[in-house]
Amino acid sequence: DTEVTQTPKHLVMGMTNKKSLKCEQHMGHRAMYWYKQKAKKPPELMFVYSYEKLSINESVPSRFSPECPNSSLLNLHLHALQPEDSALYLCASSQTRDRIYGYTFGSGTRLTVV
Amino acid sequence: AQRVTQPEKLLSVFKGAPVELKCNYSYSGSPELFWYVQYSRQRLQLLLRHISRESIKGFTADLNKGETSFHLKKPFAQEEDSAMYYCALADSSYKLIFGSGTRLLVRP
């Protein structure tokens, strides 16, 4: 398995809802990432997990809460989002010893906040 | 601070013409550089990594440390090359930082 799988592919949520995005990989990668991508813009890093521990939080608002239950799974819990949070949320993973092999991205969850 | 610059938002060429997508970076350490491609409605895909010096789909990129550049080149563009191309730099904390992207449009 050489893919990063993200679910759901699309999500519409109200500003008072609580929802979660899920990401899964079985490549043995020990670093996992959440990125946010707005239309016609590059991906922006949100969080980095290394060996299931949060290593980088790029000053992301607390309404986004990441979780890494094990080495294959990464979740992003969403609560009280704003319409401007609507975007494509991308998960990625990489090896930790050989970053030179690159980062593998999922196809993303397209989130719409209404 | 590390930074990746892609000066062209859009590059339009005719089929069969040479292509060069520019990328410059600033990084105090030894950089790891990549080119990613995003076709319409598809996921980001790794195209090239500087360490491997490989050629994928006819594209090549050479790291020039003196000019801090990692330009992407292809001698003869094809219509199926039309996509968004991102240059990216990985730092020592596993952060992957993207340039703003260049949209390549190959006209028939």
Side-chain angles (χ1 to χ4, degrees):
Chain A
D1 189 350
T2 58
E3 285 198 350
V4 173
T5 303
Q6 290 188 244
T7 54
K9 292 193 183 303
H10 300 274
L11 178 63
V12 179
M13 61 184 290
M15 289 188 283
T16 58
N17 292 159
K18 285 186 179 181
K19 295 286 184 183
S20 296
L21 310 185
K22 182 179 174 182
C23 173
E24 194 167 0
Q25 58 88 15
H26 298 286
M27 295 177 281
H29 290 173
R30 301 305 296 273
M32 296 185 76
Y33 313 81
W34 281 114
Y35 281 82
K36 174 182 177 180
Q37 187 176 24
K38 300 282 261 184
K40 299 185 179 182
K41 296 290 186 181
E44 296 176 8
L45 182 65
M46 300 175 71
F47 302 105
V48 178
Y49 272 83
S50 177
Y51 293 92
E52 297 87 69
K53 292 184 178 178
L54 182 64
S55 59
I56 295 177
N57 176 340
E58 291 285 279
S59 302
V60 179
S62 59
R63 57 185 184 269
F64 295 91
S65 176
E67 178 197 20
C68 190
N70 59 56
S71 60
S72 299
L73 284 175
L74 186 66
N75 299 320
L76 185 62
H77 302 298
L78 314 172
H79 173 56
L81 294 193
Q82 304 297 311
E84 58 266 26
D85 296 322
S86 298
L88 182 67
Y89 287 85
L90 297 170
C91 176
S93 70
S94 71
Q95 299 178 9
T96 48
R97 290 184 182 179
D98 297 302
R99 293 175 292 119
I100 57 175
Y101 289 99
Y103 299 64
T104 303
F105 282 84
S107 56
T109 294
R110 189 162 298 281
L111 174 68
T112 303
V113 181
V114 297
Chain B
Q2 49 266 39
R3 186 171 182 157
V4 179
T5 303
Q6 293 179 252
E8 303 140 328
K9 282 189 176 181
L10 173 67
L11 184 62
S12 180
V13 301
F14 286 104
K15 177 182 174 182
V19 170
E20 183 179 47
L21 302 174
K22 297 190 187 307
C23 173
N24 288 90
Y25 67 91
S26 64
Y27 183 56
S28 57
S30 184
E32 291 183 11
L33 289 157
F34 307 90
W35 276 98
Y36 277 84
V37 60
Q38 194 168 32
Y39 299 101
S40 180
R41 298 183 182 280
Q42 293 188 27
R43 70 179 67 194
L44 270 169
Q45 301 173 32
L46 177 64
L47 182 62
L48 283 175
R49 46 186 179 247
H50 89 270
I51 197 72
S52 59
R53 301 183 63 82
E54 58 199 338
S55 174
I56 303 291
K57 299 183 180 183
F59 285 97
T60 59
D62 288 319
L63 176 61
N64 186 322
K65 290 187 177 181
E67 296 183 359
T68 59
S69 68
F70 188 54
H71 303 326
L72 183 68
K73 299 178 183 180
K74 184 170 183 177
F76 307 104
Q78 304 298 315
E79 289 181 68
E80 54 266 30
D81 296 329
S82 295
M84 180 68 86
Y85 290 81
Y86 292 103
C87 183
L89 179 152
D91 72 9
S92 57
S93 65
Y94 306 117
K95 287 172 67 171
L96 186 65
I97 300 151
F98 288 88
S100 55
T102 298
R103 181 167 296 281
L104 175 63
L105 178 61
V106 182
R107 299 178 183 277

